[in-house]
Amino acid sequence: MGVEKEEIRKHIEELREKIRYHNYRYYVLNEPEISDAEYDRLFKELEELEAKYPEFITPDSPTQRVGAKPLEEFKTYRHSIPMLSLNSVMEAAEVREFDERVRRMLGGEEIEYVVEPKIDGLAMELVYKDGALVVGSTRGDGWTGEDVTQNLRTIKTIPLRTLSEALPLLEVRGEVYMPVRKFRELNEELGRRGERMFANPRNAAAGSVRQLDPRVTASRPLDFFAYGIGRVEGREFKTQWEILNYLKSIGFRVSDLVRRFEDIEDVISYHEEVEKRRDELDYEIDGIVVKVNSVEQQNRLGTISRSPRWAIAYKFQPREEFTKVKDIVVQVGRTGALTPVAILEPVQIGGVTVSRATLHNEEELKRKDVRIGDTVVVERAGDVIPEVVSVIKSKRTGAEREFKMPDRCPVCGAEVLKEGPIRRCIGVSCTAQLKERIKHFASLRALDIEGLGEKVIEQLVDRKMVTDPADLFRLSKSDLLKLERMGDKSAQKLLDAIEKSKHTTFARLIYALGIRHVGEHTASLLASNFRDMEELRNATYDKLVSIPEIGPEVAKSILLFFEQESTARLLRKLEEAGVRYEPGRKPEGEAREKVLAGKTFVFTGRISIPREEAKRKVEQLGGRVSSSVTKKTDYVVAGEEPGSKLEKAHKLGVKVIDEEEFMKMLKGADISVGN
Ligand code: IVH
């Protein structure tokens, strides 16, 4: 090889190292050092060099995650050490018995336990040879699984090459899962397209890993947590804790809920604590796993049949329950979409009473064949709307009744149009749609009118006090006092909130209008491409689709919205009511929109970007960051393990948002955050 070419090869390898390192900072440590844009630049440079010098492409390059062609079928893969399963228990007493047994068998030695979350996904094994991922397989029956290497390579949190050290052989074990929020988005998308939806994040992960075409898997938001090892050469581990730390140091994500305890009572308290925090996590867990820390003690305890004697799964209350479908009703959404909803005999699921569950749309209803009177399995995953997972057909008596979607809107009687899998009410004055539109208009990320809850909106619409969102600004105190359970104080508070919401940003106002297909992100795109509503209203199709990320469907929907007479009337009324916004796109050279102008933020707990960076972003957008919570604070951003500021915020009634919401505010303003 020529000297020059050798230089290029070296440069390419350096770029790869950098990209791997920054992936690690971002995904594993949650502490990115560079911005999205910088990362993209590195990645693009690597792609370009590899396109020019394909002879230097290696399978472990970060560009090579999705390469291979669809498979005909999966090959089987035999694990070198069987992948065991865990005995599981539900009661504290059973955990104490486990502890006693372990202590007895170890003759009263000192014991330390490692506690990990039990992730509700799919167990996988990843084989690394000399640092490179060579095989990825499912657990299967424990002895033989399926070779899903192509698919696992597409998951960004599975390193293609281990960092800092390359052992001759290392088998990493862990769980592939789908983050709850991503699952919800994926399901919504599948529903819109009329495709089969998934019952829960776990099924979604399973369905995604078992795709023969790795491009489909690559499009699915999968993630991976490592929790153990199989065979290793070139290194010895003394404890499970050491293994977890080692895995983290070479590029794997390890849950930050892992802890060490000596006393089994502490394990039991921790179980309780984690169960309480279950809904805050972005991944589903169904319990904790308690493992004896010392590898030497583990070996002495050994295994019986398929389960180790040194570990146990201590499960939470299940989130799946059986219940009966009392009725099926139809709910009308903001855009008129009709959603079938099962009315259930109330059941407790994970501490919450569930009496309704979504059936999504007509196709799903047919597929699952849910009938009134059926006994069904209902699941509530995270803070996701409860779902009917399946019907227990063996419980049918013959008295069940099938449900047919109506041809007319159940609320206003208008005609219903079928668009693919979705039926939509086309009634222009449908009160169900109006209520949903107002709810959206007043929501946190739209005009943010605090105190305008569902009950108030119901009454305002039913009493015809509000016929469109602009009517909110005409409400007087005496109007509000006519409503049930509305005292002088809350009426005044609501009026103040309405008044305050008149000063907003262009992006928020666009979003608040509830144009179909225009979510928060698109709204902010529009706001940075148009100066004001007038300019947006006059936009042509060509102008709209010339904006990156705005496609024909969205453009058409925007045009259709502005063609409506009712839109013109609404905009006029809003203007007359005194709704004002900071203009959108600024003439060249002017500063970007100060969307957070006048807003005060306080941070508590850990977030994934350095505080300083978060502060800078807020300030760039015209906001302020303060270190203590007062009544004047607008938002408290609560990260992981928040401190007493969170309590104070609750006490003072200050709005608390999580990191994701905060990031959305920044993203909505189109500022790049971390990576
Ligand atoms: S350890 C002996 N740790 O639970 C070791 N398993 O029934 C066996 N799981 O198939 C596995 N989180 O899919 C272990 N932190 C964790 C886990 C975990 C989830 C799953 C795994 C396994 C099943 C055991």
Side-chain angles (χ1 to χ4, degrees):
M1 210 184 289
V3 177
E4 203 177 315
K5 275 208 120 174
E6 177 54 22
E7 285 295 310
I8 292 165
R9 196 192 59 78
K10 261 169 93 183
H11 179 59
I12 289 179
E13 201 38 61
E14 275 164 22
L15 268 174
R16 288 178 186 146
E17 281 297 320
K18 267 194 202 159
I19 291 170
R20 283 181 198 124
Y21 171 75
H22 289 299
N23 262 331
Y24 177 65
R25 300 285 318 183
Y26 182 66
Y27 288 113
V28 180
L29 303 183
N30 264 334
E31 283 166 6
E33 278 174 358
I34 59 172
S35 68
D36 268 0
E38 275 171 278
Y39 180 85
D40 290 347
R41 203 177 44 71
L42 289 176
F43 203 89
K44 205 160 152 232
E45 187 185 347
L46 177 60
E47 275 179 334
E48 281 168 5
L49 281 171
E50 286 182 343
K52 210 161 151 197
Y53 303 99
E55 65 271 34
F56 294 147
I57 297 179
T58 56
D60 63 0
S61 169
T63 60
Q64 302 300 302
R65 286 200 174 265
V66 201
K69 291 199 183 64
L71 295 175
E72 296 282 326
E73 57 173 11
F74 295 116
K75 281 190 292 205
T76 54
Y77 178 81
R78 209 174 159 76
H79 306 294
S80 55
I81 300 177
M83 292 179 77
L84 302 175
S85 58
L86 294 167
N87 279 327
S88 59
V89 300
M90 295 273 299
E91 306 297 332
E94 295 169 292
V95 182
R96 292 190 185 105
E97 277 167 31
F98 162 77
D99 175 57
E100 278 159 25
R101 203 160 50 236
V102 165
R103 287 183 193 278
R104 202 168 48 240
M105 289 185 69
L106 293 175
E109 279 172 33
E110 275 185 21
I111 295 168
E112 189 172 48
Y113 292 111
V114 171
V115 175
E116 303 166 13
K118 185 166 187 302
I119 296 135
D120 197 8
L122 304 141
M124 298 287 154
E125 178 176 77
L126 307 166
V127 182
Y128 287 84
K129 286 210 170 120
D130 298 321
L133 173 64
V134 290
V135 184
S137 59
T138 62
R139 173 175 180 274
D141 63 5
W143 280 268
T144 320
E146 280 175 323
D147 178 338
V148 288
T149 315
Q150 292 208 59
N151 292 346
L152 296 183
R153 286 178 60 94
T154 68
I155 301 175
K156 293 210 181 59
T157 44
I158 292 184
L160 298 179
R161 165 162 286 282
T162 55
L163 288 180
S164 63
E165 187 174 88
L167 296 180
L169 176 72
L170 174 68
E171 293 176 351
V172 177
R173 291 169 175 192
E175 202 88 349
V176 164
Y177 70 96
M178 190 176 287
V180 181
R181 286 199 184 87
K182 298 277 171 59
F183 154 74
R184 195 163 19 189
E185 284 166 18
L186 172 68
N187 238 12
E188 277 168 15
E189 176 62 29
L190 293 173
R192 265 200 296 279
R193 296 206 303 246
E195 287 177 32
R196 181 183 285 273
M197 296 166 78
F198 292 109
N200 52 43
R202 189 191 139 81
N203 288 6
S208 304
V209 167
R210 295 203 71 265
Q211 288 285 338
L212 290 168
D213 184 350
R215 281 168 304 188
V216 178
T217 313
S219 74
R220 300 283 172 79
L222 296 173
D223 225 316
F224 180 78
F225 270 127
Y227 57 63
I229 54 174
R231 223 150 46 107
V232 199
E233 281 168 20
R235 195 178 170 121
E236 260 189 66
F237 296 97
K238 290 203 160 44
T239 62
Q240 169 69 6
W241 192 253
E242 187 189 340
I243 291 169
L244 294 176
N245 282 315
Y246 178 73
L247 291 172
K248 194 165 167 177
S249 76
I250 59 167
F252 291 92
R253 283 183 75 215
V254 172
S255 166
D256 46 16
L257 291 175
V258 298
R259 298 283 186 278
R260 273 180 299 185
F261 299 106
E262 282 175 15
D263 190 336
I264 201 69
E265 296 308 319
D266 293 334
V267 171
I268 293 166
S269 319
Y270 190 58
H271 172 268
E272 211 173 292
E273 184 187 327
V274 177
E275 183 162 19
K276 273 199 204 119
R277 289 178 52 193
R278 194 176 179 189
D279 278 350
E280 294 165 25
L281 302 176
D282 198 25
Y283 45 98
E284 276 281 284
I285 57 179
D286 54 358
I288 59 172
V289 182
V290 187
K291 300 177 180 173
V292 170
N293 192 18
S294 152
V295 171
E296 185 270 324
Q297 287 179 333
Q298 288 178 3
N299 291 338
R300 269 193 285 143
L301 289 161
T303 57
I304 25 168
S305 66
R306 289 157 157 253
S307 315
R309 280 203 198 85
W310 47 267
I312 199 164
Y314 182 10
K315 305 264 278 221
F316 297 145
Q317 291 305 313
R319 304 251 229 177
E320 262 193 10
E321 278 301 337
F322 296 107
T323 188
K324 263 194 149 169
V325 176
K326 289 202 296 196
D327 198 2
I328 295 177
V329 298
V330 168
Q331 201 166 291
V332 185
R334 170 163 64 85
T335 56
L338 268 48
T339 306
V341 174
I343 304 295
L344 308 168
E345 244 158 47
V347 270
Q348 285 281 321
I349 308 185
V352 174
T353 308
V354 174
S355 51
R356 297 162 76 91
T358 180
L359 295 160
H360 297 293
N361 59 43
E362 196 168 4
E363 305 283 321
E364 281 291 301
L365 181 67
K366 270 196 209 139
R367 212 171 271 144
K368 289 180 184 157
D369 186 21
V370 182
R371 302 181 190 175
I372 299 167
D374 265 337
T375 300
V376 291
V377 178
V378 177
E379 167 157 346
R380 189 182 69 90
D383 52 357
V384 179
I385 310 166
E387 309 230 4
V388 172
V389 178
S390 58
V391 175
I392 313 292
K393 299 229 163 102
S394 59
K395 294 240 167 164
R396 281 197 176 150
T397 62
E400 295 77 16
R401 278 179 298 131
E402 273 182 59
F403 176 79
K404 251 196 76 181
M405 288 293 278
D407 294 321
R408 297 208 157 258
C409 172
V411 177
C412 74
E415 223 173 289
V416 164
L417 270 192
K418 239 193 119 159
E419 290 172 25
I422 295 166
R423 280 174 192 252
R424 220 175 272 283
C425 156
I426 55 166
V428 282
S429 49
C430 178
T431 55
Q433 286 182 49
L434 179 58
K435 285 172 190 170
E436 292 301 319
R437 259 167 49 213
I438 291 177
K439 228 190 270 173
H440 173 79
F441 186 82
S443 64
L444 178 70
R445 292 205 281 274
L447 286 214
D448 190 14
I449 307 180
E450 242 188 296
L452 193 64
E454 203 162 330
K455 291 263 149 56
V456 178
I457 294 173
E458 290 261 319
Q459 296 184 63
L460 290 172
V461 171
D462 290 342
R463 294 168 187 234
K464 304 209 167 43
M465 291 160 82
V466 168
T467 60
D468 67 23
D471 284 342
L472 292 171
F473 299 103
R474 299 186 178 181
L475 293 169
S476 66
K477 195 161 184 182
S478 60
D479 287 334
L480 291 180
L481 287 173
K482 287 182 198 139
L483 306 181
E484 284 163 30
R485 260 176 274 150
M486 179 69 79
D488 197 81
K489 225 171 152 188
S490 36
Q492 189 55 49
K493 249 182 132 176
L494 182 51
L495 280 182
D496 291 346
I498 292 174
E499 187 59 33
K500 197 169 152 206
S501 76
K502 284 183 184 172
H503 298 277
T504 184
T505 64
F506 189 31
R508 276 177 179 262
L509 185 60
I510 298 172
Y511 175 63
L513 292 175
I515 307 168
R516 260 179 80 191
H517 304 306
V518 178
E520 218 183 347
H521 178 64
T522 308
S524 90
L525 281 178
L526 292 170
S528 50
N529 278 279
F530 297 93
R531 190 173 166 76
D532 53 28
M533 206 56 94
E534 193 53 29
E535 209 178 272
L536 175 59
R537 187 163 66 168
N538 293 322
T540 60
Y541 177 82
D542 289 342
K543 166 74 194 164
L544 287 168
V545 291
S546 76
I547 300 170
E549 292 186 71
I550 293 196
E553 200 186 4
V554 179
K556 279 188 208 149
S557 165
I558 295 169
L559 291 177
L560 188 69
F561 178 79
F562 283 106
E563 273 167 25
Q564 306 305 308
E565 175 48 34
S566 54
T567 301
R569 199 169 48 237
L570 174 65
L571 294 177
R572 214 166 36 239
K573 277 172 79 176
L574 287 171
E575 162 106 40
E576 280 165 16
V579 173
R580 297 288 177 265
Y581 51 86
E582 304 225 0
R585 173 184 53 80
K586 302 288 195 315
E588 290 303 311
E590 253 183 66
R592 65 164 84 233
E593 204 183 355
K594 296 269 192 261
V595 289
L596 302 181
K599 301 278 184 215
T600 305
F601 288 76
V602 173
F603 293 94
T604 174
R606 242 180 307 120
I607 60 171
S608 59
I609 57 171
R611 282 267 177 99
E612 270 313 303
E613 189 180 339
K615 182 165 180 225
R616 209 177 56 234
K617 305 280 182 201
V618 169
E619 287 169 354
Q620 272 177 19
L621 294 170
R624 228 170 53 82
V625 173
S626 160
S627 56
S628 57
V629 183
T630 69
K631 269 186 156 169
K632 294 222 173 91
T633 309
D634 291 284
Y635 300 100
V636 167
V637 182
E640 279 179 49
E641 295 177 23
S644 59
K645 289 177 199 166
L646 182 61
E647 272 165 50
K648 183 133 188 231
H650 285 309
K651 228 190 243 156
L652 295 176
V654 171
K655 189 161 295 172
V656 176
I657 59 176
D658 61 9
E659 174 173 350
E660 196 184 0
E661 205 135 40
F662 173 66
M663 290 300 179
K664 274 197 182 154
M665 283 186 173
L666 300 186
K667 280 257 163 63
D670 243 340
I671 274 210
S672 67
V673 185
N675 177 356

